[in-house]
Amino acid sequence: MGLCSCCCRCLELLCSVLLPPLGVCLRHGCCSMEFWISVLLTILGYLPGVLYAVYVICSVDPHRRHDPDDYVYVA
């Protein structure tokens, strides 16, 4: 992880504490499912929005691909 990447991550975390959907938007974009979940949780309560935003910024890779073959079917 380079210095620029670390600075961007810190800025996203700061934005997510001040306004949770903004931090998620900077990391994942405005049309992502993560962004809309963050908006909903922030409307329902500030703390759930902040916790979710910090989790998404630290844990979820924004460049992941959704491959239907990745799902595990349980019978």
Side-chain angles (χ1 to χ4, degrees):
M1 181 181 286
L3 180 63
C4 182
S5 178
C6 184
C7 290
C8 288
R9 173 89 40 110
C10 290
L11 178 64
E12 291 164 354
L13 287 171
L14 179 65
C15 288
S16 71
V17 170
L18 298 175
L19 186 63
L22 179 62
V24 176
C25 179
L26 290 174
R27 182 85 172 155
H28 294 279
C30 293
C31 295
S32 67
M33 182 63 72
E34 289 85 3
F35 172 75
W36 291 110
I37 292 172
S38 178
V39 168
L40 178 66
L41 287 173
T42 303
I43 289 171
L44 293 175
Y46 178 73
L47 186 61
V50 169
L51 293 176
Y52 178 75
V54 169
Y55 167 74
V56 166
I57 290 171
C58 292
S59 300
V60 179
D61 181 22
H63 303 293
R64 71 188 184 287
R65 295 198 175 177
H66 296 289
D67 188 9
D69 295 332
D70 288 342
Y71 295 107
V72 175
Y73 296 101
V74 178

